[in-house]
Amino acid sequence: MKSKKSKHSYSAETQLIYGRSQTPKWDYSHHLVPPVSSSSTFRMATTKRGAKGFVEFAHHAGEFVVPSKAPIYIYDRLGEPNKDILEENLAVAEQGECAVTFATGMAAVSAVCGVLTGSESEIVAHKMLYGCTYSLFKNWLPRYRVRVRWVDFNDEHALNRAITPHTRLFYFETPVNPTMELIDIRRVAAIAQRHNVHRSPQNKIYTVVDNTFSTPFCQRPIEHGVDFVVESLTKGLCGFGTDMGGVVVGPRWSYDPLLLYRKDFGGVLGSKSAWPILVYGLPSLAVRMRQQMQTAQTVAEFLRHDKSIGSVSYPGLESFPQRSLARSQMQSYDGSFTPGSLMYFAMEGRTPAERKRKADRLVNYIAKNSYTITLAVSLGNIRTLIEHPASMTHSSMTAVEQLKRGIDPGGIRLSIGLEKEEDIIWDLQLALKQL
Ligand SMILES: *Cc1c(COP(=O)(O)O)cnc(C)c1O
């Protein structure tokens, strides 16, 4: 445990490595990094200590006081040191008041909806979402009488019209997976706040942003006024593609309900997955993202000038339609512009079928021949990954729905890794040449 007496305020980027300088969560004063805390249950010295542990669990009564002494650990599903330290550091990374981790990004998405909605409540969601979130909202939540209304969050009037007395949640991603369209976080938060003036605390509309595409290094939605951030730790935060995880970051009052939800629904992050994210993922986030972004910019510019590609959507391009919004909400901790490591491009072609054919040819050639680009879902990896959303990540939508929601049959998602940019471009060039 680092113990720093200095009052100097260190940058948030440095805090990705150290977290809180002192944590009561684990005594590792002789370790440089926290040890893997792999223990499903914890020894109690007396029944009194056991009883105290249960009384203290998820009982912060709205007061998020970080305890001055070590918490009483009971059982991994309730809490354990690796996850608890990771949660402290993720709250710092997202500049939120508290964080609770889950087994996967989808477990975190389910948890934030589970905690904020009940039967007869309504979610207003942006018309385009990650495929599994879309499927959760379309196929599962309605079974619990949670209704989802789909609107275009860039259409302020449509968003206002979708609100009813039952609305509990605004849910969106920005950049949107996979199209890279942006949504103005401040504007959506302001609409919710305007409606909340007349609502009782139980009827408030909460705003939730899935920040997986950006990672907290490139964008912190809570700073722009939303209540909750959810994200997959599997992607950019883990970074190396070895572990799955998810997190909800939110206001301090949500800490206890989220812990209780996780205890009973059970989607807990394994300590052996929390550890690499804590020790490798988060501390290397800034350096990975900075490098991947620089390469992404060059690759996006290369693709934009290729004749067989119809459009390239990357927030760092001058041609990006929402460039000024990108500049104002996608920023690193020091305020520099951070357009991320992901892009979406669509093949040139007169008909959807022609564009689809070209996308298949390109991606299949890459899958078979490229050294630096791998055909695989997931993103934010140190290896460059390519995929075809229409047939893969977003296949839970019908072709008609895909077109309506902005996914072209010839659309391709590219997630830039740490390879040298000229090598990625070489592999792309070879694939484009054989079209
Ligand atoms: C991958 C992803 C998720 C789900 O995360 P898992 O860890 O795979 O469960 C949610 N949202 C977005 C935007 C994603 O890309």
Side-chain angles (χ1 to χ4, degrees), residues 104-106 130 133 173 177 210 212-213 232 234-235 244-245 379:
T104 63
M106 285 317 300
Y130 172 64
T133 309
E173 299 162 3
N177 183 355
D210 180 333
T212 303
F213 259 41
S232 170
T234 316
K235 315 288 174 59
M244 299 202 82
L379 52 100

Side-chain angles (χ1 to χ4, degrees), residues 153 159 170 172 183-193 207:
F153 272 44
L159 184 50
F170 284 173
F172 63 105
I183 289 159
D184 188 332
I185 301 172
R186 290 187 201 93
R187 182 164 1 125
V188 174
I191 294 171
Q193 277 154 17
T207 42

Side-chain angles (χ1 to χ4, degrees), residues 53 76 110 175 253 265:
D76 185 332
S110 309
W253 64 261
F265 282 82

Side-chain angles (χ1 to χ4, degrees), residues 191-212:
I191 294 171
Q193 277 154 17
R194 218 159 44 233
H195 283 267
N196 285 339
V197 172
H198 311 291
R199 289 178 176 236
S200 64
Q202 307 90 283
N203 291 331
K204 265 187 72 170
I205 301 171
Y206 292 104
T207 42
V208 181
V209 171
D210 180 333
N211 202 34
T212 303

Side-chain angles (χ1 to χ4, degrees), residues 74 235 277 347 390:
I74 301 167
K235 315 288 174 59
I277 301 170
M347 303 310 291

